[in-house]
Amino acid sequence: SDIFNLMILRLAGRRRDRLYESWAEIPSDVQQLVLELGKFAFRMLRQQRLVFTEADLKQCSLSEDAVQLGLLITTDRSPSAHEKQWRCSHLTFLESLAAKFVAH
């Protein structure tokens, strides 16, 4: 959707202190980060999981740079949780990332 694309353009621009007008203008390394997140999002949605652990991130080879794009945020740990937990800032973003990955 246009809103998701605008959000990705702004996040990518924030990373480079620049505003991009289209996906094609985004540097390939940032595009790769978005696609990494999309692959991760697709896997987590297929497993019906909305909260992720660091082990999940490592299992999917998600780089720290991808996490730092700002779409994943840390959650408050439950008393039984022994490792950091993450969730997507909004389910729509998770779904849109997965769609971007599948469409690519």
Side-chain angles (χ1 to χ4, degrees):
S1 78
D2 291 340
I3 292 173
F4 174 74
N5 287 332
L6 181 60
M7 181 213 44
I8 290 296
L9 294 174
R10 295 214 184 255
L11 285 172
R14 185 177 74 188
R15 195 171 155 75
R16 298 275 203 262
D17 293 325
R18 173 171 181 213
L19 179 61
Y20 297 105
E21 297 290 324
S22 71
W23 175 257
E25 289 181 23
I26 297 174
S28 61
D29 62 322
V30 179
Q31 287 184 12
Q32 188 60 39
L33 293 177
V34 172
L35 294 175
E36 280 180 35
L37 277 168
K39 182 178 181 180
F40 176 75
F42 182 73
R43 285 183 179 179
M44 295 298 105
L45 285 170
R46 287 191 65 194
Q47 295 174 12
Q48 299 180 350
R49 297 195 41 219
L50 300 177
V51 176
F52 328 112
T53 63
E54 294 218 44
D56 294 325
L57 300 176
K58 288 178 184 174
Q59 183 182 17
C60 292
S61 302
L62 199 61
S63 71
E64 184 65 28
D65 286 342
V67 173
Q68 290 179 3
L69 269 180
L71 294 174
L72 297 180
I73 56 177
T74 57
T75 62
D76 294 330
R77 291 184 196 180
S78 68
S80 62
H82 297 288
E83 58 186 328
K84 189 183 267 188
Q85 294 181 328
W86 301 84
R87 65 178 174 82
C88 197
S89 55
H90 197 280
L91 180 59
T92 303
F93 295 149
L94 196 66
E95 293 166 341
S96 297
L97 284 166
K100 185 74 170 173
F101 168 71
V102 171
H104 191 267

